[in-house]
Amino acid sequence: MSNVQVDPGPVLSVSDTQLRQIEQFLFDEAQVLDEWRLHEWLELFTADAHYLIPATDRPEGDPSRDLFLVQDDRFLLEQRVNSLLTRAAHAEYPHSRTTRMISNIRATHGDGGRIRVRANFAVYRVRNGVIDTYVGQYRHILEYDAEQVLRYVERKSVLTLDALRPHGKVSIIL
């Protein structure tokens, strides 16, 4: 019988209290997104934040070198939200109905007081009688603002899918 060694996990895990706060942050965000309160969702980001979705064929891609499905800075993120809330976003007017599930949340201390968060997700999108399922892992970087409120520095959704079917794009916020 071989000895199987289990990784003891990150050395710098956050406290149980912080983990509960991060879990609540993610759960609250899921509700805001499912209710399409997108302007409220924008408030969860720092001024220099990024929202990223790597291509399905390069989940570990580098946004400075590789093609991403979404690679928004704060300005582009605001444009995306404003577009999604108008008739101009034909793929999302009327908007899809979504249900999000988040699990296996892990958080560790990062550089400069930031917090690295990983969590599994499933987003079910219902539109015109069709259900699309997006599954993957969140790899976020959070920090506390001056009022000690959590904010995104980087919000990254890494899809486990090998392709986007049937439409080949992501028109909702993952």
Side-chain angles (χ1 to χ4, degrees), residues 39-158:
H39 285 295
E40 189 176 329
W41 178 69
L42 273 176
E43 295 173 16
L44 302 177
F45 289 81
T46 63
D48 61 345
H50 289 87
Y51 170 54
L52 305 169
I53 303 176
T56 56
D57 63 338
R58 299 202 53 111
E60 303 301 327
D62 178 348
S64 67
R65 292 189 321 250
D66 299 313
L67 179 65
F68 271 48
L69 297 170
V70 175
Q71 185 177 346
D72 290 353
D73 61 12
R74 178 59 190 252
F75 174 78
L76 290 173
L77 188 55
E78 289 175 17
Q79 300 305 307
R80 179 179 302 276
V81 164
N82 289 332
S83 175
L84 285 171
L85 292 173
T86 67
R87 291 179 185 243
H90 299 289
E92 286 303 325
Y93 189 84
H95 65 76
S96 299
R97 292 173 44 204
T98 58
T99 299
R100 296 157 202 281
M101 298 193 183
I102 303 167
S103 66
N104 201 29
I105 300 167
R106 302 283 188 240
T108 59
H109 292 284
D111 298 333
R114 293 180 170 171
I115 301 168
R116 296 189 171 278
V117 177
R118 287 190 179 229
N120 295 333
F121 71 85
V123 179
Y124 302 95
R125 173 188 183 241
V126 180
R127 182 168 169 79
N128 298 326
V130 176
I131 299 174
D132 293 317
T133 304
Y134 300 89
V135 295
Q137 185 180 69
Y138 288 135
R139 298 179 188 171
H140 303 322
I141 300 174
L142 304 174
E143 70 180 14
Y144 288 97
D145 67 11
E147 289 80 36
Q148 294 303 301
V149 175
L150 284 170
R151 300 277 183 234
Y152 282 112
V153 174
E154 181 176 282
R155 186 183 189 283
K156 187 174 184 181
S157 304
V158 179

